[in-house]
Every structure is written in structure tokens, then in C-alpha cells.
Amino acid sequence: MANKLIKHHLFWPLSVLAALLLFNLLYSPDFFRIVVRDGNLYGSLIDILNFGAPLILVSIGMTLVIATKGIDLSVGSVVAISGAVACLIVSQASDQSAMGVIWTAIASSLLLAVLLGVWNGVLVSAARIQPIIATLILMVAGRGIAQLITSGQIITVSSAPYQFIGAGSFLSLPFSIFIVGAVLLIAALLARKTALGLFIESVGSNPRASRLAGLRSGTVILSVYMFCSLCAGIAGIILSSNVSSADGNNAGLWYELDAILAVVIGGTSLNGGRFYLMGTVVGALIIQTLTTTIYMIGVPPEITLVVKAFVVLAVCLIQSEAFRKSIMHRWKKRKYPAEQEVATHAS
Amino acid sequence: MSNRKPVLEMKGITKSFPGVKALTDVRFRLFPGEVHALMGENGAGKSTLIKVLTGVYSIDSGTISLDGREVAISGPLEAQKAGISTVYQEVNLCPNLTVAENIYIGREPRRLGRIIWKQMNKDAEALLKERLNLQIDVTLPLSHYPVAIQQLVAIARALSISAKVLILDEPTSSLDRNEVQQLFSIMRKLKSEGLAILFVTHFLDQVYEMSDRLTVLRSGEYIGEYMAAELPRFELVLKMIGKELNLLEELPALSEETKEASGSVMISSEGLGRKGAIEPLDLQIRKGEVLGLAGLLGSGRTETARLFFGADRADKGRLVVADTGQGVSSPRSAISQGIAFCSENRKSEGIIDDLTIRENIILALQASRGWFRPISRRRQDEIADEYMRLLNINPKNPEHIIKNLSGGNQQKVLLARWLLTQPKLLILDEPTRGIDIGAKAEIQKLVLSLSRQGMAVLFISSEIEEVIRVSDRIAVLRDRVKVKELGREQMNQHDIMQAMAGG
């Protein structure tokens, strides 16, 4: 029973998350407190969910890409591009709060995001460029495109409905949480209720055998890159809406790395094959909680990245079965001679 | 011989995995200058014992002694240092490195920390030439060469590490007759030089041709050690199977049955060819017919099968599926026209190693249904259950990850995958390579019963006896050209071999 619990793929991610939350609780007893103000819930936990929403979205998309033995480095740039397009359209409208404008902005930026996904997908599946290189192109070029769209400036918008997407509340909770929930649900349904999940895992595990079994691996790969880009596009809208501005230079910076980390912490292997959506969500929450914790305990800004790196290293080591085994092994070996000595003394 | 000291002695070896006891109190010893065959059916514990010996697995209890000294082999590197070298069943080298690099990887000749490439290539060339009579360009990537050569390179690598014990795990399963003889002469030479060779193979002929001594395992237990000359074949098989039922005895009866004349043409090729693979070829396969494809390795057997399935594209001639009147452009189009193909490379082109037995079985059917018509989980369980029972797949749990299964069971899962698509033509490329006698007999029987139900089968095997046993008609290939077609009455080993060899 206990063994089965430990073997479950969510055991280690959840334990790490629990440990992080516990640390926060010890450090600041208010951490778990949630207050109701103006009918809305406020508190650190809510903040983690709210600010973590874009990362969770990007990570969900990244999970499917990684499951096909791929990787998408361009998500951060897609976040910036989609935010820039949406803000540009809203800012140029005569009535920034008209619903028509908002819908146009969302639709165009998501469409562009999907097209960027097609670009990545075609490079990987048709041109057979290695995913890390293929998406590196858009990672670099995308930043430039985002700055072209914003003309190198930070575009600000003042539109209540647009702001609602990333900063509004619905049923007492941040609206972004519902967006994440919806995307997660769609991803889970696509993966587990259609055959897409099986195809993704099959292509990721053995592309040659999959082709001979009659799978259209190209289509599968194209779709996951499209989906991943779409997720990044949604994340870009949420991020820009949250601050009512688009910054082509810094929006979504290093998101690809956090997302890859979240996927790996969640138990999906970079070698492709089996993937775990819920694991990824927990992984993204771990990273977001860590960021919050670092700010809260007042780590000097110049060393926050170093602290983060150490915690991430620790998390990865705990996740590694080989590492756990070698620790256990040493532990037992260390104890063994002592026990033996006790035994000889006793007799 | 009994007064000599064994170079290797294993005693009381026990190893269990979660839920299974793989080895129970197993003994094994190996003398210098002998070839010792390790015998047993799939799941008998041969692979586990070898992995224990090479340090891949650690043992729960028991002792391993080398030259009389007890040793603990904690990993493959330690095993190599101790003088135990292994050549595995499936070639375990790096296909995109050169031949020379593959031989010397990790032990490259160096000067001031830099690799001396010239010397490495020269050494590799000399090694291959002198010890394996093989003259090839060692600077080409390994993947450039056919499996047989790759196997020899693997052996060369093992030889180049000064070994006291050489383990050959199914070394002959992908070699043709000449290559097997070449390998055997190398083995004899090494034996006379005092090397101890542990030999694992499923071919009984080869066991009796090569080995001095046999150790038989069954279900992880030690059955006994025998001198090969003193143990008749029949008794050996009985010891391996451990029951009165003798599958080998039953088999010849199958081929005696005369079958009704085959049906109409199912698929035919006209001048079908591909540069460097197979010269233009005319071949017809009829409904309900087993067409055997015989030929040495490199004769174009596999290449023909791949063209029929659309796995490779033909650049000459055409292929027509009679029912649809269409050709075959890709595996997908082949499958949609009722063609199924079990590749000879089970590991790289067959199984999806991370997935379960159930998922591997339904894969091809699901692929042809597309994304949005998933097979319900209940139906999947029923299918898995049905086919696992039909083909006697072990373990019985459909949620088992396929990479942990034995070769024979993986092969059966692949057969299940294709049978589920209800093909009209089943192409089997070396379906019985590296699997035990029991599973082999089951697969051969299955082929016959399928053809009786009207399925066309293209059967490829390096074992001529097997091809004769199951085929209604045999096409012989030599150097990428079809040289002969033989009907049921004309089949005999001598003629087929002569056609294969030419001259």
C-alpha cells in the first residue's frame, strides 16, 4: 500500500509542493489565510494560482510536445508576440472597451499563435529539423517580431474588459484560473478520450515503429506544436491583460525554461513516451510557489536566481530514482558495520 | 577435463524481481578452452543469468568466482575489466559512429590526451582482418553495414578487450549459413587459444555442432550440466520443455496435410524494384497461400517485404492489390488495403517499448480508425484478453509494459496487433528469430491455420526447414534477383540451398 503510494507518479511532485507550502506556513503563519474582500477571495495561495496561470498553460502545451520526444523553445517568444498583437489591436481601437474589439484582439493573436505553431511543427515533422534547433529559430526571431509589433515601445491599453481576462474575478476567484481549468480539461479530454494520447506516446516512444503501425506521425507532431503554441498564445493574453500592457522585450522571458522544468518535475521524460498532465500542473505550481517564497522571505534580488537554482537542483535530485537509490544504499552501508559491531558485542 | 579448474564458477545464484523469482539457486561453471551452451526456453532465466554475469543485475544471494577468487561484479565496466565480454542478441553498438570508433570506444589510442585516429583505424582494420577475415572500410558509420557485419563488429569489440570469458548471446540469429560457419571457425580458433565461451542459441544444430558442454535451465531453476556428446537431442528438448508434450514431433505432421488449391491472386508485383535493394521482381501471392521467401542475408528478402508494405518506396515497376486495383504508397495505404507487416527488427520497428501490452495490441487498429473514433477502454480490455489467450502471451496482465517481456512474447504481441486488423496479406519477416522452440511451433501453427482461413502470408526466414514446413510455394532470391520458384512437390532442402548459393 505504502509502496504503491510512493510509486505513484504524483507522489514526489506533490510531496515537494507540500514541503514548500509547509515551509511558507512556518515562515509566515498567515500564508494559508484567505480573506474575502468585495466578495472576492484574496491570499497567497490564490496569488500563486493567479500568477502561476500563464506558466501552467505553457507547461500543459509543452508536456504534449515533450511526450513526442520534442521540445518547444519558442513559447516565451510566442507569449510576447500574442500579448503584443492583442494589445496593439486594442490600443488602436477608437473604443478600447468595445467587446467587438476585445474579441478581434483575442482571435487574431490566438490565430497568429497557432500559425507560429504550424511553423514549428512543419520544421520538425516535414523538414526533419531537430526540435531544439527548429524552435530555437522562432525563439530568437520571435522576440524581434514582438518588438516590431510594439515598435520597440511598451504598448499600454486601458480597457476594462481586456483587463478582466488576467486580473478580473469570477465566482470569487481570479478569472485566469478558469481559463487554465478549461484548457487543462480540453487537453485531458483530447489526450485520454480520443486516441491522440496513445498516438503521442507511441510516436514519442518509437517513431519508426509507429510509422509502420500506420500512424500519421507527421500530423501528430504538427498538432502538438500547434496546441503548444496556442497555449502560449493564451498565456500571452493573460500576462498582458494582467498588467494592461505589452512588452515585446520582457514578456514571457525564460518561460520556456520554467515550462520544461515544470514538465520534467511532473514526471514526463525528455526521452518522450509517457506523459502526465496533472504532474505538469503540480510541477508548474512548485515553480510558482518557489518564486513567491523567494520574494516573501526577502532573498536579496541579486541572488534570487542562485537560490532558485539550488532548490530546483534539490527537487530534481529527489525526483531521480537513481539518486534516491544510491542515497539509500549509502545509508544502509553506513549503518551496517555499526550494527554488526553491536551484534558481536552482544554475543 | 574434470581435474582442470574452471575459469568461472557461479554457485547458488538467486535473483528475484518484484513479483517474480527469476533465478533460484542456479549453478554454472565454465572451463577455459570450452564452448559451453546455456540452454532453456524463453523465461528459463538465461538472459537474467547473463545479465548477472555482466553486472547489469546484482544478485540476491550466491557467489561468483573468477579463477578461483570470489568476485563482486557491480557493473558492466567491472565485468569487462574482470575479463568478461559480451555480445548481445540485438546489436548494442552506436549506429552513427564509425566501425573503428565502435570497436575502440572508451579505449581509444591516445597521445597527450588526443585520440590518434590513424592508429585506431589501422588497428581496427587489422583486428577485423586477422581475427574475423573481414575486410571493410572501418571509417564508415556502422549503420552503413548490414546487421550481420554489425554483429561481427560487436564480436570484434569483445575480442579487442582482452577477454577470458566471451559471452555470445544469440550471435547467429541474424547470420546466414556462411556467416555462421565463419563465426564458428572463429569460435574454434578462440577456443583453441584457451578462451572460455558461453554460447546461447536457439538452434539445436548449432549447439551440437559447437558446444562441449551444456547447462540446462528451466523456469529459473538449474536442471543439470551435461556433456554435449552424451545427451541426445530428444532428451535435451525434454529437459528444456519439462513435459511429455513434444512440439517438435508434432510439427512435421502439419506439412503433410495437403491443402486445397489456392485462391485467386491477392497481390502481384510487376518489375517491382528499388535501387540497391532489389532488382525488378515479378511475384504473385494468392489468397490462402503461404509464400516462402528464401535467400541468404542480403539477397533482398527483407527489401522485398518492405516494398510490398510501402515501408520503402519502389523506384521501378508496380505493385497491384487485386481487390482495390491500386498500388501501395505508404504503410498507411498498405494497411488500408489489408496488408500487415511484422518487421525483422522487433525492437526498433515493432514494439513501442514504453507502452503496455494492451496499447501495443490495439495500436494498428486504432491508427487506421484515426483520432476521433477511439476504441473504448472496455473493448480494448476485451481485445487484449482475447488475443492474449489466443496467442498464449505471458505475463497474463495486459497492463504490463512490453519492454519487460521476453522476445517470443513481444513477437506474439506484434502478431496480435496485426491479426486484429484482419489483414488479407500478412508479411512475416523472421517471425521466429531468437525465440524458443515452443513459441516457434505456436507461430508456425498459427501461420498454417491463418492461411487455411484464406489469409495470404509472405513468410521470410533464414531457417530453410521452417520455410519448407509452412510454405505452399517458395521463391528463392539470390543477390537481389529471384532465381527460382518451387511448388510444394519440388521443395527439398538441397535444391533450395543450391538455388540460394548459386553455381
Side-chain angles (χ1 to χ4, degrees):
Chain A
M1 181 62 205
N3 203 9
K4 217 174 170 183
L5 194 70
I6 291 180
K7 285 266 163 71
H8 193 275
H9 69 268
L10 281 179
F11 177 80
W12 289 108
L14 279 176
S15 313
V16 169
L17 183 60
L20 265 179
L21 290 174
L22 194 68
F23 173 81
N24 279 298
L25 182 66
L26 294 178
Y27 194 83
S28 127
D30 281 352
F31 189 75
F32 279 56
R33 213 176 62 174
I34 291 172
V35 294
V36 183
R37 217 182 297 148
D38 308 330
N40 293 327
L41 299 174
Y42 288 94
S44 304
L45 291 181
I46 303 288
D47 283 348
I48 290 174
L49 284 176
N50 190 13
F51 295 131
L55 179 61
I56 299 176
L57 281 172
V58 172
S59 309
I60 290 172
M62 186 72 82
T63 308
L64 300 189
V65 170
I66 286 180
T68 63
K69 218 181 263 185
I71 203 155
D72 188 350
L73 295 182
S74 71
V75 285
S77 297
V78 174
V79 164
I81 292 175
S82 102
V85 168
C87 286
L88 183 72
I89 292 177
V90 172
S91 70
Q92 285 180 345
S94 48
D95 176 10
Q96 293 201 2
S97 294
M99 284 316 282
V101 171
I102 305 297
W103 285 117
T104 314
I106 293 173
S108 342
S109 69
L110 293 188
L111 184 69
L112 183 59
V114 171
L115 286 178
L116 293 172
V118 172
W119 164 263
N120 282 333
V122 166
L123 286 186
V124 174
S125 70
R128 308 268 164 139
I129 301 177
Q130 287 184 344
I132 198 165
I133 301 301
T135 58
L136 189 65
I137 297 169
L138 188 58
M139 177 189 179
V140 176
R143 285 275 156 215
I145 296 173
Q147 286 180 52
L148 272 179
I149 295 171
T150 61
S151 317
Q153 311 287 312
I154 294 179
I155 303 180
T156 51
V157 295
S158 59
S159 160
Y162 187 71
Q163 203 185 1
F164 179 81
I165 301 168
S169 285
F170 183 68
L171 297 175
S172 311
L173 285 169
F175 184 63
S176 57
I177 294 178
F178 292 93
I179 300 179
V180 169
V183 171
L184 181 62
L185 188 71
I186 291 170
L189 286 178
L190 269 179
R192 303 302 178 203
K193 289 294 165 194
T194 74
L196 185 60
L198 175 69
F199 291 176
I200 289 174
E201 292 181 335
S202 177
V203 168
S205 176
N206 190 341
R208 270 171 85 189
S210 299
R211 174 171 169 265
L212 290 183
L215 278 181
R216 279 203 189 95
S217 51
T219 319
V220 172
I221 288 173
L222 183 63
S223 335
V224 294
Y225 281 95
M226 282 165 65
F227 182 76
C228 182
S229 250
L230 176 66
C231 287
I234 299 173
I237 291 177
I238 293 179
L239 261 184
S240 66
S241 140
N242 204 330
V243 293
S244 283
S245 66
D247 177 355
N249 227 346
N250 292 311
L253 198 61
W254 308 130
Y255 254 52
E256 54 283 339
L257 301 184
D258 276 351
I260 292 166
L261 203 55
V263 172
V264 172
I265 291 176
T268 303
S269 160
L270 284 175
N271 288 326
R274 288 278 184 225
F275 66 89
Y276 305 99
L277 286 172
M278 281 317 292
T280 294
V281 172
V282 175
L285 285 174
I286 288 173
I287 291 170
Q288 188 60 40
T289 309
L290 182 58
T291 310
T292 308
T293 308
I294 287 174
Y295 285 133
M296 198 181 65
I297 62 177
V299 173
E302 60 272 20
I303 62 161
T304 48
L305 287 178
V306 178
V307 173
K308 197 171 165 184
F310 272 110
V311 178
V312 166
L313 176 66
V315 172
C316 291
L317 286 178
I318 291 172
Q319 290 263 63
S320 152
E321 206 179 332
F323 179 76
R324 286 204 307 267
K325 266 193 187 148
S326 88
I327 289 284
M328 289 297 280
H329 188 66
R330 267 161 206 241
W331 183 252
K332 276 182 190 157
K333 253 192 175 170
R334 202 186 64 163
K335 270 186 138 177
Y336 192 56
E339 276 171 11
Q340 226 174 18
E341 218 168 292
V342 171
T344 45
H345 278 292
S347 61
Chain B
M1 202 175 244
S2 56
N3 52 5
R4 279 192 331 189
K5 280 219 169 123
V7 55
L8 170 78
E9 190 155 22
M10 302 170 87
K11 276 188 200 153
I13 305 291
T14 298
K15 169 77 191 167
S16 26
F17 296 107
V20 227
K21 206 154 190 195
L23 293 175
T24 316
D25 194 18
V26 168
R27 268 173 284 164
F28 182 78
R29 48 187 196 152
L30 192 57
F31 291 90
E34 76 164 352
V35 174
H36 190 141
L38 187 57
M39 305 296 298
E41 290 233 281
N42 281 343
K46 294 177 309 233
S47 306
T48 312
L49 190 69
I50 288 174
K51 284 185 177 160
V52 162
L53 197 49
T54 52
V56 178
Y57 295 150
S58 58
I59 44 179
D60 301 339
S61 64
T63 57
I64 303 174
S65 318
L66 267 174
D67 289 329
R69 270 207 322 270
E70 197 174 311
V71 289
I73 301 171
S74 52
L77 215 60
E78 281 72 17
Q80 248 179 39
K81 276 188 197 145
I84 301 174
S85 285
T86 315
V87 174
Y88 284 107
Q89 180 172 359
E90 315 258 347
V91 177
N92 252 339
L93 299 173
C94 310
N96 48 3
L97 296 187
T98 68
V99 170
E101 284 167 339
N102 266 295
I103 295 176
Y104 289 107
I105 189 168
R107 302 168 295 118
E108 306 89 348
R110 280 164 193 276
R111 187 190 300 133
L112 301 173
R114 280 178 34 204
I115 298 173
I116 318 162
W117 296 100
K118 252 192 197 152
Q119 193 194 328
M120 189 172 87
N121 291 338
K122 225 170 69 192
D123 288 355
E125 229 160 66
L127 177 76
L128 286 171
K129 196 174 162 215
E130 282 163 23
R131 304 194 76 172
L132 302 180
N133 298 327
L134 194 64
Q135 271 177 293
I136 56 172
D137 184 349
V138 297
T139 59
L140 286 177
L142 188 69
S143 57
H144 179 82
Y145 293 104
V147 183
I149 304 277
Q150 296 186 12
Q151 185 94 52
L152 293 178
V153 172
I155 292 171
R157 173 175 166 75
L159 291 182
S160 73
I161 302 166
S162 60
K164 281 183 241 162
V165 174
L166 178 65
I167 302 171
L168 298 175
D169 188 359
E170 290 284 354
T172 56
S173 57
S174 46
L175 305 188
D176 68 33
R177 270 163 198 267
N178 294 333
E179 288 161 334
V180 168
Q181 284 312 320
Q182 192 187 353
L183 172 67
F184 282 180
S185 67
I186 291 160
M187 282 169 70
R188 287 194 192 97
K189 180 167 161 244
L190 294 171
K191 187 172 108 171
S192 70
E193 289 165 14
L195 191 72
I197 300 175
L198 196 173
F199 182 43
V200 179
T201 179
H202 282 105
F203 301 107
L204 292 186
D205 289 343
Q206 300 180 356
V207 169
Y208 280 99
E209 185 177 347
M210 278 314 295
S211 26
D212 306 303
R213 199 188 293 260
L214 309 166
T215 290
V216 179
L217 300 182
R218 190 200 314 145
S219 316
E221 284 176 36
Y222 173 80
I223 301 299
E225 187 194 81
Y226 314 91
M227 296 307 292
E230 293 161 10
L231 185 72
R233 233 171 233 240
F234 183 72
E235 278 179 39
L236 170 62
V237 172
L238 281 188
K239 286 188 197 308
M240 286 163 60
I241 298 179
K243 48 190 172 190
E244 299 97 89
L245 168 78
N246 191 339
L247 292 154
L248 285 177
E249 292 282 277
E250 243 174 75
L251 274 170
L254 292 167
S255 60
E256 298 302 307
E257 282 178 41
T258 42
K259 271 194 342 192
E260 289 176 30
S262 301
S264 55
V265 172
M266 194 271 148
I267 189 167
S268 60
S269 73
E270 287 162 28
L272 188 73
R274 179 181 158 91
K275 206 173 168 233
I278 182 88
E279 296 297 320
L281 170 84
D282 295 334
L283 205 62
Q284 288 188 338
I285 308 176
R286 295 170 176 281
K287 287 174 185 158
E289 173 189 53
V290 181
L291 175 65
L293 215 48
L296 299 171
L297 206 91
S299 62
R301 301 177 319 206
T302 298
E303 290 78 0
T304 305
R306 292 180 68 88
L307 289 184
F308 268 67
F309 187 64
D312 293 327
R313 211 169 283 245
D315 51 20
K316 288 185 213 82
R318 59 197 207 107
L319 187 68
V320 181
V321 181
D323 285 352
T324 58
Q326 286 176 348
V328 169
S329 56
S330 69
R332 266 187 84 78
S333 92
I335 293 165
S336 71
Q337 297 179 75
I339 303 175
F341 172 56
C342 279
S343 165
E344 63 171 336
N345 298 316
R346 220 165 22 227
K347 208 160 132 192
S348 64
E349 297 188 333
I351 62 166
I352 312 287
D353 26 340
D354 290 343
L355 300 187
T356 63
I357 298 176
R358 168 179 56 82
E359 289 168 319
N360 268 285
I361 291 178
I362 65 153
L363 189 66
L365 180 65
Q366 183 63 69
S368 65
R369 288 167 65 109
W371 292 8
F372 293 107
R373 289 200 302 139
I375 304 167
S376 75
R377 181 56 196 263
R378 219 176 75 216
R379 185 78 193 105
Q380 291 185 18
D381 288 336
E382 284 169 16
I383 291 171
D385 226 46
E386 185 191 333
Y387 280 88
M388 287 174 74
R389 209 161 343 109
L390 179 75
L391 296 174
N392 192 18
I393 294 170
N394 272 312
K396 301 290 177 205
N397 177 7
E399 300 308 307
H400 221 84
I401 304 295
I402 196 167
K403 69 176 159 205
N404 300 331
L405 267 59
S406 67
N409 281 305
Q410 290 178 351
Q411 187 67 52
K412 289 190 209 165
V413 170
L414 293 178
L415 273 170
R417 176 192 291 173
W418 291 114
L419 293 183
L420 185 57
T421 63
Q422 301 186 312
K424 295 181 197 129
L425 168 65
L426 179 62
I427 304 172
L428 299 173
D429 193 358
E430 297 277 8
T432 63
R433 173 197 289 177
I435 69 180
D436 67 64
I437 304 166
K440 210 172 203 167
E442 285 176 54
I443 288 172
Q444 292 172 2
K445 273 193 212 167
L446 184 74
V447 167
L448 289 167
S449 86
L450 288 170
S451 80
R452 241 173 253 132
Q453 291 161 29
M455 193 184 289
V457 179
L458 181 62
F459 191 94
I460 302 173
S461 172
S462 311
E463 272 183 83
I464 299 172
E465 301 87 342
E466 185 179 59
V467 180
I468 294 178
R469 200 175 291 145
V470 299
S471 308
D472 297 311
R473 196 155 56 91
I474 293 178
V476 182
L477 299 177
R478 184 176 74 230
D479 296 334
R480 299 172 181 159
V481 177
K482 184 176 81 174
V483 290
K484 204 165 192 173
E485 263 192 47
L486 299 144
R488 178 94 246 158
E489 347 35 79
Q490 305 155 286
M491 281 179 203
N492 67 69
Q493 272 206 44
H494 182 258
D495 287 2
I496 294 173
M497 288 194 0
Q498 206 154 48
M500 280 165 56

